[in-house]
Amino acid sequence: QEFSVFGSFAMPAKKEWSDVQQGVEEAMALPPERFRDKVSGAFRNLNSYVKAAAKDFDNELAPHVGSAAIIFNFCFDAFEAKKMLRKQVMATMGLLVQCPPWAAAFRDSPQLHARVQELPEEDQAAFAVQHEEVAKVVLPGAKEHEEAVAAEATAIKEANDAHVRMSIANFAVAKKISATLAAARGSAEAEADAPEAPVAPDPPAEEVKPEELRELRDAR
């Protein structure tokens, strides 16, 4: 994993959208048996990017809406290929459709609607509670399952939101600690560069008078 240095801390390097999209496209070009082996890495990068982008959809995600079709299809393929990724896929798609241009791209795509409707009704219901645009296209039978999966989907969304809040808080703490350490380093360097204070000379020895020496000898 790549890391970037922030102050005195090593933090995971932010993925660029071009890297995320390239990983998705490479995975989508593979035959099904190889897709299963490669999907986790490509999805992990997508998931990380989308979570980070949730803080600023307008600048981080909306400009890439032209990739919505392939990204949504990749999510459906990942959902079907890896059971262990299903909750994360639903959470990621739930974030994607919170970005208005991406929600519109989903709404206007009959092909994506068909992908939802191809899923088992329980899975359709799980996707439906992520966003109203998805709920509009599920088959009638899936609606009967919505209440049963709503609690679990809410838990997924809350966990996802908590991750975003924690990321923001951790960044703020790291920034504050880094500033404190930088100030301490600057203070130490300034102290090291300061000229040494002059040392005062020892006071001169007190002169002993001859008569005092005679008194000392007589006393012995």
Side-chain angles (χ1 to χ4, degrees):
Q1 185 178 13
E2 296 179 0
F3 288 86
S4 60
V5 177
F6 182 84
S8 299
F9 299 89
M11 302 180 67
K14 179 184 175 182
K15 289 288 183 182
E16 297 296 332
W17 177 258
S18 57
D19 296 329
V20 173
Q21 182 168 333
Q22 181 179 351
V24 167
E25 291 175 347
E26 289 176 353
M28 294 284 282
L30 297 173
E33 61 274 11
R34 292 195 60 202
F35 178 82
R36 286 181 54 83
D37 296 333
K38 298 293 184 181
V39 63
S40 296
F43 176 76
R44 182 169 57 249
N45 290 339
L46 171 64
N47 184 43
S48 297
Y49 184 93
V50 172
K51 284 182 176 180
K55 295 177 287 188
D56 188 8
F57 276 142
D58 289 343
N59 292 313
E60 298 291 344
L61 195 58
H64 309 301
V65 69
S67 303
I70 189 172
I71 297 298
F72 280 129
N73 276 294
F74 170 75
C75 287
F76 283 120
D77 289 348
F79 183 88
E80 294 172 349
K82 288 276 191 178
K83 288 186 177 181
M84 63 181 296
L85 291 178
R86 290 188 170 184
K87 290 184 179 180
Q88 296 178 60
V89 169
M90 285 190 293
T92 298
M93 290 189 67
L95 284 175
L96 289 171
V97 291
Q98 287 180 35
C99 179
W102 283 68
F106 181 90
R107 181 192 64 219
D108 298 337
S109 174
Q111 185 267 334
L112 292 176
H113 301 174
R115 292 298 304 266
V116 174
Q117 294 166 359
E118 290 168 359
L119 297 172
E121 290 180 350
E122 293 86 349
D123 293 334
Q124 289 187 46
F127 275 106
V129 298
Q130 297 295 323
H131 197 273
E132 61 181 8
E133 292 296 347
V134 185
K136 292 176 183 177
V137 303
V138 300
L139 296 175
K143 297 183 183 298
E144 299 175 4
H145 301 278
E146 287 187 19
E147 185 175 348
V149 301
E152 182 177 3
T154 299
I156 292 172
K157 184 178 184 302
E158 289 176 351
N160 198 52
D161 291 346
H163 175 87
V164 173
R165 290 195 298 271
M166 184 176 294
S167 296
I168 296 172
N170 287 344
F171 183 81
V173 170
K175 186 175 181 180
K176 183 175 181 180
I177 294 175
S178 179
T180 301
L181 292 176
R185 285 196 300 269
S187 177
E189 291 171 358
E191 184 175 343
D193 293 340
E196 295 185 3
V199 179
D202 293 332
E206 186 176 351
E207 183 179 355
V208 181
K209 298 179 180 179
E211 56 270 21
E212 292 176 345
L213 287 174
R214 286 195 297 273
E215 291 177 0
L216 288 173
R217 285 197 297 272
D218 295 342
R220 290 201 296 268

